[in-house]
Amino acid sequence: LHRAAAWDKSGSARLTVNPADSGQNTLFGDQNESSAVMAPTISLDEDLHSESRIDIVKIDAEGAEPWILRGMANSIRSNPDIKILIKFAPKNLVRAGVTPRQFFDLVAALDLSFEKIDDRTGEVSKATEDELLNCFSASLLLQKPVSID
């Protein structure tokens, strides 16, 4: 474990802390929030560089997901079977200054496909960008496209 926020590079960032629910802590909170602290940041590429294989990564970062994905681009390239479970929340992305379409453009640029995960059953199913753009939030599975030979 590291006392650091996953990001696209090492450094520091202002983390707004929600005292009632740590799952709502965010790097994209109100700049006047008195419960903010400075937190160190690290990219997953930096942190995981010595790992010979990465099978699965879980990301739920209140809007920071695009930065985390960019910060693990090398890990994605060097682990063709990697599975990324990621929370997609359009409202959080917009608060972070990223449009939901830009999120999907990044996923495509990383040569990843996406499917929706049912939060109750765990069932994985196809979903379209347009369908997901209108949701409050969705759990997604990102992975390299499965080739049909």
Side-chain angles (χ1 to χ4, degrees):
L1 295 176
H2 300 283
R3 292 183 62 95
W7 196 240
D8 62 348
K9 61 184 178 282
S10 289
S12 63
R14 190 171 188 279
L15 176 70
T16 301
V17 178
N18 182 328
D21 182 359
S22 63
Q24 300 298 311
N25 295 348
T26 181
L27 297 175
F28 302 101
D30 182 352
Q31 291 300 311
N32 299 319
E33 187 70 40
S34 64
S35 62
V37 297
M38 290 307 291
T41 62
I42 190 168
S43 76
L44 292 181
D45 279 344
E46 292 171 299
D47 191 47
L48 301 173
H49 74 277
S50 64
E51 297 297 324
S52 61
R53 185 173 128 186
I54 302 168
D55 295 318
I56 192 160
V57 175
K58 168 77 166 80
I59 304 170
D60 183 352
E62 302 303 306
E65 292 83 359
W67 286 267
I68 295 168
L69 287 171
R70 282 193 292 270
M72 62 180 292
N74 291 331
S75 298
I76 292 169
R77 274 191 292 279
S78 62
N79 290 277
D81 295 326
I82 195 170
K83 308 284 189 260
I84 302 169
L85 307 174
I86 193 165
K87 185 62 87 172
F88 172 75
K91 181 179 172 184
N92 289 344
L93 292 171
V94 169
R95 181 179 63 204
V98 176
T99 69
R101 289 258 187 231
Q102 289 171 315
F103 170 85
F104 287 114
D105 289 346
L106 174 60
V107 168
L110 292 170
D111 194 29
L112 297 169
S113 65
F114 64 89
E115 293 177 290
K116 184 177 179 181
I117 303 169
D118 186 292
D119 288 331
R120 284 176 281 143
T121 66
E123 182 178 329
V124 177
S125 62
K126 299 288 183 197
T128 66
E129 284 183 33
D130 288 335
E131 175 185 338
L132 293 169
L133 292 175
N134 296 313
C135 73
F136 176 74
S137 72
S139 296
L140 301 180
L141 169 64
L142 307 182
Q143 61 185 339
K144 296 289 183 176
V146 178
S147 62
I148 301 172
D149 295 332

